[in-house]
Amino acid sequence: MVTVDPDALSHVLDAVELRVGVARRIPLAAGGLLPIPAGPTTLVYLASGSVQGHPPLGDGCRLGVDPDSRRLTLETRERRDHLVAGDAFLTLGRTAFVLEADRDTTLMVVDLEFADATSPLPALLPPFLTVTGFDALEPAAAALAENMGLVDPAASPARQGDPVICRMMAKTVLMSVIRAWAANGCAPAGWPSLSNDPFLDRVVDAIHQEPGRDWTVERLAAIGAMSRSTFAERFRVAVGRSPADYVTEVRIDAAKRLLDAGRSVSDVSRELGYASDEGFSRAFRRRTGMTPSSWRSAARTPALV
């Protein structure tokens, strides 16, 4: 069984920030079809019944229960064309597919949008992330998932705070799906390395731990035990952007979370190492299309979904 470093898993879960998490509860009669389009990130939990995917939904981790200890054990990694009640899967929207109900089925479907469009999290996950026996692995999250979403949203009036609460519930279920997938041997060897290079992983971890530090290329290269030129080239090839660009992305991602939590623009600017509020505002607007103050105001104003 592949094991995952708990600290590395914590970093991944800490990176889960959703801008939108809208849940729908969808009943399907036997033979009913539910198209899942390419593009959006979608989380599905089977509350009852069973479905098959067209095309098949990829490899799943099959779980067994020891009859004496009642502890869960990973038995095999096998192709699963059918998913049953208690299973969950996440699709990052790289391909379209259709779910077909084998019998009367109830699905909880959550449309997700990450708060940071440049978040590395999607790059760390496979196109389909399937967890069979999710209800046994994560019973609290499965119970939460089973009770999310309205059968007929149009018939139920929106209440104050609904978008915020729904997003928090969706985040909890999503984090639990990722944890169940990773912590029980489903993740590939080396996961969740962004670069598959332990020296570069050390650099990435340092940036995330202290986004406000004055990160020069020389300082980052020293952490990675490389020369400046070697480090810059290896980082660009492995991560897909320059070290400076990655530092900026991490800072803006951190800024979004701090602004969402109600921190002032000046406080966030200072904490993230910007020399002035104006410089921070320019960098934030280039990445998001909004000023930090506009982002903060939007986060404090619930919107109808």
Side-chain angles (χ1 to χ4, degrees):
M1 179 187 296
V2 176
T3 58
V4 176
D5 181 349
D7 291 335
L9 179 56
S10 294
H11 284 311
V12 171
L13 298 180
D14 188 51
V16 175
E17 290 295 338
L18 300 180
R19 186 77 172 159
V20 175
V22 181
R24 296 172 286 133
R25 193 173 182 85
I26 299 177
L28 287 179
L33 302 177
L34 176 66
I36 304 291
T41 298
T42 305
L43 175 65
V44 176
Y45 175 75
L46 273 74
S48 65
S50 66
V51 297
Q52 58 180 310
H54 304 288
L57 299 176
D59 294 333
C61 291
R62 184 174 180 177
L63 298 166
V65 180
D66 184 278
D68 297 321
S69 66
R70 304 300 297 170
R71 296 182 62 183
L72 290 163
T73 59
L74 185 68
E75 292 180 343
T76 60
R77 185 190 303 266
E78 63 172 18
R79 193 74 171 176
R80 285 291 299 270
D81 293 337
H82 295 257
L83 299 179
V84 301
D87 292 348
F89 74 89
L90 175 73
T91 171
L92 299 180
R94 295 172 192 167
T95 59
F97 62 96
V98 175
L99 295 178
E100 179 182 359
D102 298 318
R103 55 185 182 273
D104 288 353
T105 296
T106 301
L107 304 170
M108 186 282 290
V109 180
V110 186
D111 303 316
L112 303 173
E113 180 184 324
F114 291 99
D116 180 14
T118 60
S119 170
L121 182 61
L124 295 174
L125 300 173
F128 293 102
L129 189 158
T130 306
V131 180
T132 60
F134 178 69
D135 56 344
L137 279 172
E138 299 278 354
L144 181 64
E146 191 165 345
N147 290 283
M148 289 178 64
L150 301 170
V151 176
D152 185 5
S156 301
R159 295 175 296 172
Q160 282 191 330
D162 276 358
V164 176
I165 293 171
C166 188
R167 186 173 69 245
M168 294 173 65
M169 293 170 70
K171 177 179 174 179
T172 299
V173 177
L174 174 62
M175 291 172 66
S176 299
V177 168
I178 295 173
R179 179 173 68 175
W181 173 81
N184 291 279
C186 302
W191 192 87
S193 171
L194 181 65
S195 64
N196 291 319
D197 182 325
F199 293 97
L200 291 181
D201 286 344
R202 188 189 307 167
V203 174
V204 170
D205 286 345
I207 294 170
H208 281 271
Q209 288 170 11
E210 297 183 86
R213 189 173 179 181
D214 181 17
W215 289 118
T216 63
V217 174
E218 290 79 5
R219 183 167 290 162
L220 293 170
I223 291 175
M226 305 175 212
S227 69
R228 185 183 187 280
S229 58
T230 298
F231 163 72
E233 178 62 21
R234 282 173 62 175
F235 192 96
R236 185 184 293 275
V237 170
V239 181
R241 68 212 74 169
S242 70
D245 197 45
Y246 188 78
V247 169
T248 300
E249 288 181 1
V250 172
R251 284 180 173 176
I252 299 304
D253 189 23
K256 292 175 183 177
R257 294 194 295 270
L258 293 171
L259 292 168
D260 286 346
R263 297 280 295 278
S264 72
V265 173
S266 293
D267 282 349
V268 174
S269 175
R270 286 193 296 271
E271 182 163 333
L272 295 179
Y274 287 92
S276 67
D277 291 356
E278 292 75 15
F280 167 56
S281 294
R282 285 194 299 271
F284 191 92
R285 188 165 189 169
R286 279 197 298 270
R287 297 282 172 167
T288 67
M290 299 173 64
T291 64
S293 56
S294 296
W295 182 281
R296 184 173 182 270
S297 297
R300 294 165 66 89
T301 305
L304 294 179
V305 289

Short mmCIF file of all heavy atoms in Angstrom, two decimals, residues 98-165:
data_model
loop_
_atom_site.label_atom_id
_atom_site.label_comp_id
_atom_site.label_asym_id
_atom_site.label_seq_id
_atom_site.Cartn_x
_atom_site.Cartn_y
_atom_site.Cartn_z
N VAL A 98 -21.21 10.63 -18.95
CA VAL A 98 -22.62 10.50 -18.58
C VAL A 98 -22.75 9.42 -17.51
O VAL A 98 -22.11 8.36 -17.61
CB VAL A 98 -23.48 10.12 -19.80
CG1 VAL A 98 -24.93 9.86 -19.38
CG2 VAL A 98 -23.44 11.23 -20.85
N LEU A 99 -23.57 9.67 -16.51
CA LEU A 99 -23.90 8.68 -15.50
C LEU A 99 -25.25 8.05 -15.87
O LEU A 99 -26.21 8.76 -16.17
CB LEU A 99 -24.00 9.30 -14.12
CG LEU A 99 -22.71 9.88 -13.52
CD1 LEU A 99 -23.00 10.49 -12.16
CD2 LEU A 99 -21.64 8.82 -13.42
N GLU A 100 -25.31 6.72 -15.83
CA GLU A 100 -26.55 6.00 -16.10
C GLU A 100 -26.94 5.20 -14.87
O GLU A 100 -26.14 4.43 -14.34
CB GLU A 100 -26.39 5.06 -17.29
CG GLU A 100 -27.65 4.27 -17.61
CD GLU A 100 -27.47 3.30 -18.76
OE1 GLU A 100 -26.36 3.26 -19.34
OE2 GLU A 100 -28.43 2.57 -19.07
N ALA A 101 -28.17 5.39 -14.40
CA ALA A 101 -28.65 4.70 -13.20
C ALA A 101 -28.98 3.24 -13.52
O ALA A 101 -29.70 2.95 -14.48
CB ALA A 101 -29.88 5.40 -12.65
N ASP A 102 -28.44 2.32 -12.73
CA ASP A 102 -28.78 0.91 -12.87
C ASP A 102 -30.17 0.61 -12.32
O ASP A 102 -30.85 -0.31 -12.78
CB ASP A 102 -27.75 0.05 -12.13
CG ASP A 102 -26.35 0.21 -12.68
OD1 ASP A 102 -26.20 0.27 -13.91
OD2 ASP A 102 -25.41 0.30 -11.87
N ARG A 103 -30.56 1.38 -11.31
CA ARG A 103 -31.88 1.26 -10.69
C ARG A 103 -32.21 2.62 -10.10
O ARG A 103 -31.46 3.58 -10.30
CB ARG A 103 -31.87 0.17 -9.61
CG ARG A 103 -30.81 0.34 -8.54
CD ARG A 103 -30.82 -0.84 -7.59
NE ARG A 103 -29.86 -0.73 -6.50
CZ ARG A 103 -28.60 -1.11 -6.56
NH1 ARG A 103 -28.12 -1.64 -7.68
NH2 ARG A 103 -27.80 -0.98 -5.51
N ASP A 104 -33.33 2.75 -9.42
CA ASP A 104 -33.67 4.04 -8.84
C ASP A 104 -32.51 4.52 -7.95
O ASP A 104 -32.07 3.79 -7.04
CB ASP A 104 -34.96 3.94 -8.01
CG ASP A 104 -36.18 3.77 -8.90
OD1 ASP A 104 -36.04 3.89 -10.14
OD2 ASP A 104 -37.28 3.53 -8.35
N THR A 105 -32.05 5.72 -8.20
CA THR A 105 -30.82 6.21 -7.60
C THR A 105 -30.98 7.67 -7.17
O THR A 105 -31.70 8.43 -7.82
CB THR A 105 -29.66 6.11 -8.61
OG1 THR A 105 -29.44 4.73 -8.93
CG2 THR A 105 -28.37 6.69 -8.07
N THR A 106 -30.33 8.03 -6.08
CA THR A 106 -30.29 9.42 -5.64
C THR A 106 -28.83 9.87 -5.56
O THR A 106 -28.01 9.22 -4.90
CB THR A 106 -30.96 9.61 -4.27
OG1 THR A 106 -32.32 9.17 -4.35
CG2 THR A 106 -30.92 11.07 -3.85
N LEU A 107 -28.54 10.97 -6.23
CA LEU A 107 -27.18 11.50 -6.28
C LEU A 107 -27.13 12.87 -5.61
O LEU A 107 -28.04 13.68 -5.76
CB LEU A 107 -26.71 11.66 -7.73
CG LEU A 107 -26.73 10.41 -8.63
CD1 LEU A 107 -26.48 10.82 -10.06
CD2 LEU A 107 -25.69 9.41 -8.16
N MET A 108 -26.07 13.12 -4.87
CA MET A 108 -25.76 14.46 -4.41
C MET A 108 -24.66 14.98 -5.33
O MET A 108 -23.58 14.40 -5.41
CB MET A 108 -25.30 14.45 -2.95
CG MET A 108 -25.10 15.83 -2.33
SD MET A 108 -23.56 16.64 -2.80
CE MET A 108 -22.36 15.61 -1.95
N VAL A 109 -24.93 16.04 -6.05
CA VAL A 109 -23.99 16.59 -7.02
C VAL A 109 -23.61 18.01 -6.59
O VAL A 109 -24.49 18.85 -6.34
CB VAL A 109 -24.60 16.63 -8.44
CG1 VAL A 109 -23.61 17.19 -9.45
CG2 VAL A 109 -25.05 15.23 -8.85
N VAL A 110 -22.32 18.27 -6.46
CA VAL A 110 -21.85 19.59 -6.04
C VAL A 110 -21.00 20.19 -7.15
O VAL A 110 -20.00 19.59 -7.58
CB VAL A 110 -21.02 19.51 -4.74
CG1 VAL A 110 -20.67 20.92 -4.26
CG2 VAL A 110 -21.78 18.77 -3.66
N ASP A 111 -21.38 21.37 -7.60
CA ASP A 111 -20.59 22.12 -8.57
C ASP A 111 -19.59 22.97 -7.80
O ASP A 111 -19.97 23.78 -6.94
CB ASP A 111 -21.49 23.02 -9.42
CG ASP A 111 -22.57 22.22 -10.13
OD1 ASP A 111 -22.25 21.15 -10.67
OD2 ASP A 111 -23.73 22.66 -10.13
N LEU A 112 -18.30 22.80 -8.10
CA LEU A 112 -17.24 23.44 -7.34
C LEU A 112 -16.48 24.45 -8.19
O LEU A 112 -16.28 24.24 -9.39
CB LEU A 112 -16.25 22.40 -6.82
CG LEU A 112 -16.82 21.27 -5.95
CD1 LEU A 112 -15.75 20.24 -5.67
CD2 LEU A 112 -17.38 21.83 -4.65
N GLU A 113 -16.04 25.50 -7.54
CA GLU A 113 -15.14 26.46 -8.18
C GLU A 113 -14.10 26.86 -7.15
O GLU A 113 -14.44 27.34 -6.07
CB GLU A 113 -15.90 27.70 -8.66
CG GLU A 113 -15.02 28.74 -9.33
CD GLU A 113 -15.79 29.98 -9.71
OE1 GLU A 113 -16.97 29.85 -10.10
OE2 GLU A 113 -15.22 31.09 -9.62
N PHE A 114 -12.83 26.63 -7.47
CA PHE A 114 -11.77 26.96 -6.53
C PHE A 114 -11.61 28.47 -6.43
O PHE A 114 -11.73 29.19 -7.43
CB PHE A 114 -10.45 26.31 -6.95
CG PHE A 114 -10.46 24.81 -6.79
CD1 PHE A 114 -10.69 23.98 -7.87
CD2 PHE A 114 -10.26 24.24 -5.55
CE1 PHE A 114 -10.72 22.60 -7.73
CE2 PHE A 114 -10.28 22.86 -5.39
CZ PHE A 114 -10.51 22.05 -6.48
N ALA A 115 -11.32 28.94 -5.21
CA ALA A 115 -11.18 30.38 -4.99
C ALA A 115 -10.01 30.94 -5.77
O ALA A 115 -10.04 32.08 -6.21
CB ALA A 115 -11.01 30.66 -3.49
N ASP A 116 -8.97 30.14 -5.94
CA ASP A 116 -7.78 30.59 -6.66
C ASP A 116 -7.71 29.84 -7.98
O ASP A 116 -7.51 28.63 -8.01
CB ASP A 116 -6.52 30.32 -5.83
CG ASP A 116 -5.25 30.76 -6.53
OD1 ASP A 116 -5.36 31.50 -7.53
OD2 ASP A 116 -4.16 30.36 -6.09
N ALA A 117 -7.87 30.57 -9.08
CA ALA A 117 -7.85 29.93 -10.40
C ALA A 117 -6.50 29.30 -10.71
O ALA A 117 -6.40 28.42 -11.58
CB ALA A 117 -8.21 30.94 -11.48
N THR A 118 -5.45 29.73 -10.03
CA THR A 118 -4.11 29.18 -10.28
C THR A 118 -3.70 28.20 -9.20
O THR A 118 -2.52 27.85 -9.09
CB THR A 118 -3.07 30.31 -10.36
OG1 THR A 118 -3.05 31.02 -9.11
CG2 THR A 118 -3.41 31.28 -11.48
N SER A 119 -4.65 27.73 -8.39
CA SER A 119 -4.33 26.79 -7.33
C SER A 119 -3.64 25.54 -7.89
O SER A 119 -4.07 25.01 -8.91
CB SER A 119 -5.61 26.38 -6.60
OG SER A 119 -5.36 25.29 -5.73
N PRO A 120 -2.58 25.06 -7.23
CA PRO A 120 -1.92 23.85 -7.71
C PRO A 120 -2.70 22.58 -7.43
O PRO A 120 -2.37 21.52 -7.95
CB PRO A 120 -0.59 23.84 -6.93
CG PRO A 120 -0.90 24.56 -5.66
CD PRO A 120 -1.90 25.63 -6.04
N LEU A 121 -3.77 22.68 -6.63
CA LEU A 121 -4.49 21.48 -6.22
C LEU A 121 -4.99 20.64 -7.39
O LEU A 121 -4.78 19.43 -7.41
CB LEU A 121 -5.64 21.84 -5.29
CG LEU A 121 -6.46 20.67 -4.74
CD1 LEU A 121 -5.57 19.74 -3.91
CD2 LEU A 121 -7.62 21.18 -3.89
N PRO A 122 -5.66 21.22 -8.40
CA PRO A 122 -6.13 20.38 -9.52
C PRO A 122 -5.00 19.63 -10.22
O PRO A 122 -5.20 18.50 -10.67
CB PRO A 122 -6.80 21.39 -10.46
CG PRO A 122 -7.24 22.49 -9.57
CD PRO A 122 -6.15 22.60 -8.53
N ALA A 123 -3.81 20.24 -10.28
CA ALA A 123 -2.69 19.58 -10.94
C ALA A 123 -2.19 18.38 -10.15
O ALA A 123 -1.52 17.49 -10.69
CB ALA A 123 -1.54 20.57 -11.16
N LEU A 124 -2.52 18.33 -8.85
CA LEU A 124 -2.07 17.23 -8.00
C LEU A 124 -3.01 16.04 -8.03
O LEU A 124 -2.68 14.99 -7.48
CB LEU A 124 -1.93 17.72 -6.55
CG LEU A 124 -0.88 18.79 -6.27
CD1 LEU A 124 -0.99 19.27 -4.84
CD2 LEU A 124 0.52 18.27 -6.56
N LEU A 125 -4.17 16.20 -8.64
CA LEU A 125 -5.19 15.16 -8.60
C LEU A 125 -5.39 14.55 -9.99
O LEU A 125 -5.19 15.22 -11.00
CB LEU A 125 -6.52 15.74 -8.10
CG LEU A 125 -6.49 16.35 -6.69
CD1 LEU A 125 -7.81 17.04 -6.40
CD2 LEU A 125 -6.19 15.29 -5.64
N PRO A 126 -5.82 13.28 -10.04
CA PRO A 126 -6.11 12.65 -11.33
C PRO A 126 -7.41 13.21 -11.91
O PRO A 126 -8.19 13.85 -11.21
CB PRO A 126 -6.25 11.17 -10.96
CG PRO A 126 -6.73 11.19 -9.55
CD PRO A 126 -6.05 12.36 -8.90
N PRO A 127 -7.66 12.95 -13.21
CA PRO A 127 -8.90 13.46 -13.83
C PRO A 127 -10.16 12.98 -13.11
O PRO A 127 -11.12 13.73 -12.96
CB PRO A 127 -8.84 12.91 -15.26
CG PRO A 127 -7.39 12.66 -15.51
CD PRO A 127 -6.82 12.26 -14.19
N PHE A 128 -10.16 11.71 -12.69
CA PHE A 128 -11.25 11.15 -11.89
C PHE A 128 -10.65 10.65 -10.58
O PHE A 128 -9.67 9.90 -10.58
CB PHE A 128 -11.93 9.98 -12.59
CG PHE A 128 -12.68 10.36 -13.83
CD1 PHE A 128 -12.13 10.13 -15.06
CD2 PHE A 128 -13.93 10.93 -13.75
CE1 PHE A 128 -12.81 10.47 -16.22
CE2 PHE A 128 -14.63 11.28 -14.89
CZ PHE A 128 -14.07 11.05 -16.13
N LEU A 129 -11.23 11.07 -9.47
CA LEU A 129 -10.78 10.62 -8.16
C LEU A 129 -11.94 9.87 -7.54
O LEU A 129 -12.97 10.45 -7.20
CB LEU A 129 -10.38 11.83 -7.33
CG LEU A 129 -9.70 11.63 -5.98
CD1 LEU A 129 -8.94 12.89 -5.61
CD2 LEU A 129 -10.71 11.31 -4.90
N THR A 130 -11.82 8.53 -7.47
CA THR A 130 -12.92 7.68 -7.04
C THR A 130 -12.63 7.07 -5.67
O THR A 130 -11.54 6.56 -5.44
CB THR A 130 -13.15 6.54 -8.06
OG1 THR A 130 -13.31 7.10 -9.35
CG2 THR A 130 -14.39 5.73 -7.69
N VAL A 131 -13.59 7.13 -4.77
CA VAL A 131 -13.46 6.52 -3.45
C VAL A 131 -14.67 5.61 -3.23
O VAL A 131 -15.79 6.08 -3.00
CB VAL A 131 -13.40 7.58 -2.33
CG1 VAL A 131 -13.26 6.88 -0.98
CG2 VAL A 131 -12.24 8.54 -2.56
N THR A 132 -14.45 4.32 -3.34
CA THR A 132 -15.51 3.37 -3.01
C THR A 132 -15.54 3.18 -1.49
O THR A 132 -14.51 3.24 -0.83
CB THR A 132 -15.30 2.03 -3.73
OG1 THR A 132 -14.06 1.47 -3.32
CG2 THR A 132 -15.29 2.22 -5.23
N GLY A 133 -16.74 2.98 -0.96
CA GLY A 133 -16.85 2.83 0.49
C GLY A 133 -16.57 4.11 1.24
O GLY A 133 -16.13 4.08 2.39
N PHE A 134 -16.85 5.26 0.61
CA PHE A 134 -16.60 6.54 1.27
C PHE A 134 -17.39 6.66 2.57
O PHE A 134 -16.92 7.24 3.55
CB PHE A 134 -16.96 7.68 0.33
CG PHE A 134 -16.80 9.05 0.91
CD1 PHE A 134 -15.54 9.56 1.20
CD2 PHE A 134 -17.92 9.86 1.17
CE1 PHE A 134 -15.39 10.83 1.73
CE2 PHE A 134 -17.77 11.13 1.70
CZ PHE A 134 -16.50 11.62 1.98
N ASP A 135 -18.61 6.11 2.59
CA ASP A 135 -19.43 6.20 3.80
C ASP A 135 -18.81 5.45 4.97
O ASP A 135 -19.03 5.81 6.13
CB ASP A 135 -20.85 5.70 3.53
CG ASP A 135 -20.90 4.28 2.99
OD1 ASP A 135 -19.84 3.77 2.52
OD2 ASP A 135 -21.99 3.68 3.01
N ALA A 136 -18.04 4.40 4.69
CA ALA A 136 -17.36 3.67 5.76
C ALA A 136 -16.08 4.37 6.18
O ALA A 136 -15.72 4.36 7.36
CB ALA A 136 -17.06 2.24 5.30
N LEU A 137 -15.38 4.97 5.23
CA LEU A 137 -14.13 5.66 5.54
C LEU A 137 -14.36 6.98 6.25
O LEU A 137 -13.62 7.35 7.16
CB LEU A 137 -13.36 5.93 4.24
CG LEU A 137 -12.53 4.80 3.65
CD1 LEU A 137 -12.00 5.20 2.29
CD2 LEU A 137 -11.37 4.46 4.59
N GLU A 138 -15.35 7.73 5.79
CA GLU A 138 -15.60 9.07 6.32
C GLU A 138 -17.10 9.19 6.65
O GLU A 138 -17.85 9.89 5.97
CB GLU A 138 -15.21 10.12 5.27
CG GLU A 138 -13.75 10.11 4.88
CD GLU A 138 -12.88 10.86 5.88
OE1 GLU A 138 -13.45 11.49 6.81
OE2 GLU A 138 -11.65 10.83 5.73
N PRO A 139 -17.57 8.51 7.69
CA PRO A 139 -19.01 8.48 7.97
C PRO A 139 -19.63 9.84 8.24
O PRO A 139 -20.75 10.12 7.82
CB PRO A 139 -19.13 7.55 9.18
CG PRO A 139 -17.76 7.50 9.78
CD PRO A 139 -16.81 7.68 8.64
N ALA A 140 -18.90 10.72 8.93
CA ALA A 140 -19.46 12.04 9.23
C ALA A 140 -19.62 12.86 7.95
O ALA A 140 -20.66 13.50 7.74
CB ALA A 140 -18.57 12.78 10.23
N ALA A 141 -18.60 12.83 7.10
CA ALA A 141 -18.67 13.59 5.84
C ALA A 141 -19.73 12.99 4.92
O ALA A 141 -20.43 13.72 4.20
CB ALA A 141 -17.31 13.61 5.16
N ALA A 142 -19.86 11.66 4.93
CA ALA A 142 -20.88 11.01 4.09
C ALA A 142 -22.28 11.40 4.55
O ALA A 142 -23.17 11.65 3.72
CB ALA A 142 -20.70 9.50 4.13
N ALA A 143 -22.49 11.48 5.86
CA ALA A 143 -23.80 11.90 6.38
C ALA A 143 -24.09 13.34 5.98
O ALA A 143 -25.22 13.69 5.63
CB ALA A 143 -23.84 11.75 7.89
N LEU A 144 -23.07 14.18 6.01
CA LEU A 144 -23.22 15.56 5.58
C LEU A 144 -23.57 15.62 4.09
O LEU A 144 -24.49 16.33 3.68
CB LEU A 144 -21.93 16.33 5.85
CG LEU A 144 -21.91 17.81 5.50
CD1 LEU A 144 -22.92 18.58 6.34
CD2 LEU A 144 -20.50 18.38 5.70
N ALA A 145 -22.85 14.83 3.29
CA ALA A 145 -23.09 14.81 1.85
C ALA A 145 -24.50 14.34 1.54
O ALA A 145 -25.17 14.89 0.65
CB ALA A 145 -22.06 13.91 1.16
N GLU A 146 -24.96 13.34 2.25
CA GLU A 146 -26.27 12.76 1.97
C GLU A 146 -27.40 13.75 2.22
O GLU A 146 -28.48 13.62 1.65
CB GLU A 146 -26.47 11.50 2.80
CG GLU A 146 -27.67 10.69 2.40
CD GLU A 146 -27.65 9.28 2.99
OE1 GLU A 146 -26.58 8.86 3.47
OE2 GLU A 146 -28.69 8.62 2.94
N ASN A 147 -27.15 14.74 3.05
CA ASN A 147 -28.20 15.70 3.39
C ASN A 147 -28.00 17.06 2.77
O ASN A 147 -28.68 18.03 3.13
CB ASN A 147 -28.29 15.83 4.92
CG ASN A 147 -28.84 14.59 5.57
OD1 ASN A 147 -30.04 14.34 5.55
ND2 ASN A 147 -27.96 13.77 6.15
N MET A 148 -27.08 17.15 1.82
CA MET A 148 -26.88 18.39 1.09
C MET A 148 -27.78 18.43 -0.13
O MET A 148 -28.13 17.40 -0.70
CB MET A 148 -25.42 18.53 0.64
CG MET A 148 -24.45 18.79 1.75
SD MET A 148 -22.74 18.87 1.15
CE MET A 148 -22.81 20.32 0.10
N GLY A 149 -28.13 19.64 -0.55
CA GLY A 149 -28.82 19.81 -1.81
C GLY A 149 -30.32 19.65 -1.72
O GLY A 149 -30.82 18.79 -0.99
N LEU A 150 -31.04 20.46 -2.47
CA LEU A 150 -32.50 20.41 -2.52
C LEU A 150 -32.95 19.71 -3.79
O LEU A 150 -32.35 19.86 -4.84
CB LEU A 150 -33.08 21.83 -2.49
CG LEU A 150 -32.72 22.67 -1.25
CD1 LEU A 150 -33.16 24.11 -1.46
CD2 LEU A 150 -33.36 22.09 0.00
N VAL A 151 -34.02 18.94 -3.68
CA VAL A 151 -34.56 18.27 -4.86
C VAL A 151 -35.09 19.31 -5.86
O VAL A 151 -34.90 19.19 -7.07
CB VAL A 151 -35.69 17.29 -4.46
CG1 VAL A 151 -36.33 16.68 -5.71
CG2 VAL A 151 -35.12 16.20 -3.56
N ASP A 152 -35.74 20.34 -5.36
CA ASP A 152 -36.29 21.39 -6.22
C ASP A 152 -35.89 22.75 -5.66
O ASP A 152 -36.63 23.36 -4.89
CB ASP A 152 -37.82 21.28 -6.30
CG ASP A 152 -38.41 22.28 -7.28
OD1 ASP A 152 -37.63 22.98 -7.97
OD2 ASP A 152 -39.65 22.37 -7.36
N PRO A 153 -34.66 23.25 -6.02
CA PRO A 153 -34.21 24.53 -5.47
C PRO A 153 -35.17 25.68 -5.75
O PRO A 153 -35.31 26.60 -4.94
CB PRO A 153 -32.87 24.75 -6.18
CG PRO A 153 -32.43 23.39 -6.61
CD PRO A 153 -33.71 22.65 -6.92
N ALA A 154 -35.89 25.65 -6.90
CA ALA A 154 -36.78 26.75 -7.26
C ALA A 154 -37.95 26.86 -6.29
O ALA A 154 -38.52 27.94 -6.10
CB ALA A 154 -37.29 26.56 -8.68
N ALA A 155 -38.31 25.74 -5.67
CA ALA A 155 -39.46 25.74 -4.76
C ALA A 155 -39.07 26.09 -3.33
O ALA A 155 -39.94 26.22 -2.47
CB ALA A 155 -40.13 24.37 -4.79
N SER A 156 -37.78 26.24 -3.06
CA SER A 156 -37.32 26.53 -1.70
C SER A 156 -36.67 27.91 -1.68
O SER A 156 -35.67 28.13 -2.38
CB SER A 156 -36.31 25.48 -1.24
OG SER A 156 -36.89 24.19 -1.26
N PRO A 157 -37.21 28.84 -0.93
CA PRO A 157 -36.64 30.20 -0.90
C PRO A 157 -35.24 30.21 -0.28
O PRO A 157 -34.95 29.46 0.65
CB PRO A 157 -37.63 30.97 -0.02
CG PRO A 157 -38.29 29.93 0.83
CD PRO A 157 -38.36 28.69 -0.02
N ALA A 158 -34.38 31.04 -0.86
CA ALA A 158 -33.03 31.18 -0.32
C ALA A 158 -33.08 31.91 1.02
O ALA A 158 -33.92 32.79 1.23
CB ALA A 158 -32.16 31.95 -1.31
N ARG A 159 -32.20 31.52 1.92
CA ARG A 159 -32.12 32.16 3.21
C ARG A 159 -30.78 32.86 3.35
O ARG A 159 -29.81 32.51 2.69
CB ARG A 159 -32.29 31.13 4.33
CG ARG A 159 -33.66 30.48 4.36
CD ARG A 159 -33.71 29.39 5.42
NE ARG A 159 -32.79 28.31 5.11
CZ ARG A 159 -32.51 27.31 5.95
NH1 ARG A 159 -33.06 27.28 7.15
NH2 ARG A 159 -31.69 26.35 5.59
N GLN A 160 -30.73 33.84 4.24
CA GLN A 160 -29.47 34.54 4.46
C GLN A 160 -28.39 33.56 4.89
O GLN A 160 -28.61 32.71 5.75
CB GLN A 160 -29.64 35.62 5.53
CG GLN A 160 -30.31 36.88 5.03
CD GLN A 160 -30.21 37.99 6.08
OE1 GLN A 160 -30.15 37.71 7.27
NE2 GLN A 160 -30.17 39.23 5.63
N GLY A 161 -27.22 33.70 4.29
CA GLY A 161 -26.09 32.85 4.66
C GLY A 161 -26.04 31.52 3.94
O GLY A 161 -25.07 30.78 4.11
N ASP A 162 -27.06 31.18 3.14
CA ASP A 162 -27.08 29.89 2.44
C ASP A 162 -25.82 29.66 1.59
O ASP A 162 -25.22 28.59 1.65
CB ASP A 162 -28.32 29.77 1.56
CG ASP A 162 -29.54 29.29 2.35
OD1 ASP A 162 -29.39 29.02 3.56
OD2 ASP A 162 -30.62 29.20 1.76
N PRO A 163 -25.38 30.64 0.78
CA PRO A 163 -24.18 30.40 -0.03
C PRO A 163 -22.95 30.10 0.80
O PRO A 163 -22.14 29.24 0.45
CB PRO A 163 -24.03 31.70 -0.83
CG PRO A 163 -25.38 32.31 -0.85
CD PRO A 163 -26.00 31.95 0.47
N VAL A 164 -22.80 30.82 1.92
CA VAL A 164 -21.62 30.61 2.78
C VAL A 164 -21.66 29.22 3.41
O VAL A 164 -20.66 28.49 3.41
CB VAL A 164 -21.57 31.69 3.87
CG1 VAL A 164 -20.41 31.42 4.82
CG2 VAL A 164 -21.44 33.07 3.25
N ILE A 165 -22.82 28.85 3.94
CA ILE A 165 -22.95 27.55 4.59
C ILE A 165 -22.77 26.41 3.60
O ILE A 165 -22.08 25.42 3.87
CB ILE A 165 -24.32 27.44 5.30
CG1 ILE A 165 -24.37 28.42 6.47
CG2 ILE A 165 -24.58 26.01 5.79
CD1 ILE A 165 -25.73 28.55 7.10
#
